[in-house]
Amino acid sequence: METLVAEQYCHGLTDKEIAEQLDKPIWTVRTHKKHIYKKLSIATTHELVLYMVSLFVGKEYNAAEIRKRGLAALLMFLLLFHIAVVDKKEFRRGRRVEIEIKARDPYGECE
């Protein structure tokens, strides 16, 4: 049941919407959410979504590293997700996909 609740959060649903969708009381959904957070040592729905994406992509999730690096880690995660999911579909269709990553210097100009 906890996995199902976690998946619903990944769809952007609120506690109330998940309760309605699963035909459960809202307090049951919140209890599952609390248990999920405790088991994974996470504190927010954003971290839960990142955890679920990491499972989907097959990468190890490290909450401490994400908290330490902040937005940079989130963006790297999204890039990995894009490469793993979207680009694979393009390759299957026979299209060539190129990704160019440019680092920003402290003055806001690209290298």
Side-chain angles (χ1 to χ4, degrees):
M1 179 58 85
E2 290 175 352
T3 304
L4 187 56
V5 170
E7 289 173 359
Q8 298 301 313
Y9 281 111
C10 291
H11 291 285
L13 300 178
T14 65
D15 294 346
K16 183 179 178 182
E17 291 170 331
I18 294 170
E20 290 171 358
Q21 185 125 14
L22 300 178
D23 196 30
K24 300 285 182 191
I26 194 167
W27 58 266
T28 300
V29 171
R30 289 181 179 156
T31 300
H32 284 306
K33 183 178 179 181
K34 186 172 87 173
H35 291 163
I36 292 167
Y37 283 11
K38 187 174 181 178
K39 286 179 182 178
L40 300 177
S41 299
I42 60 175
T44 67
T45 304
H46 294 89
E47 291 178 344
L48 175 60
V49 171
L50 286 173
Y51 174 82
M52 296 299 285
V53 169
S54 70
L55 284 180
F56 182 77
V57 175
K59 300 291 180 186
E60 183 180 339
Y61 176 81
N62 185 339
E65 188 70 22
I66 289 176
R67 288 182 191 131
K68 184 172 94 177
R69 300 197 185 272
L71 186 57
L74 171 63
L75 295 175
M76 183 56 71
F77 229 72
L78 292 175
L79 175 64
L80 291 173
F81 178 76
H82 179 77
I83 291 169
V85 177
V86 177
D87 291 348
K88 281 184 181 178
K89 290 179 184 175
E90 294 300 317
F91 282 124
R92 282 188 219 131
R93 293 183 186 145
R95 296 181 187 153
R96 186 173 177 202
V97 178
E98 295 180 20
I99 297 176
E100 184 177 341
I101 302 172
K102 293 184 179 182
R104 286 203 174 267
D105 68 15
Y107 304 104
E109 298 175 8
C110 290
E111 292 179 359

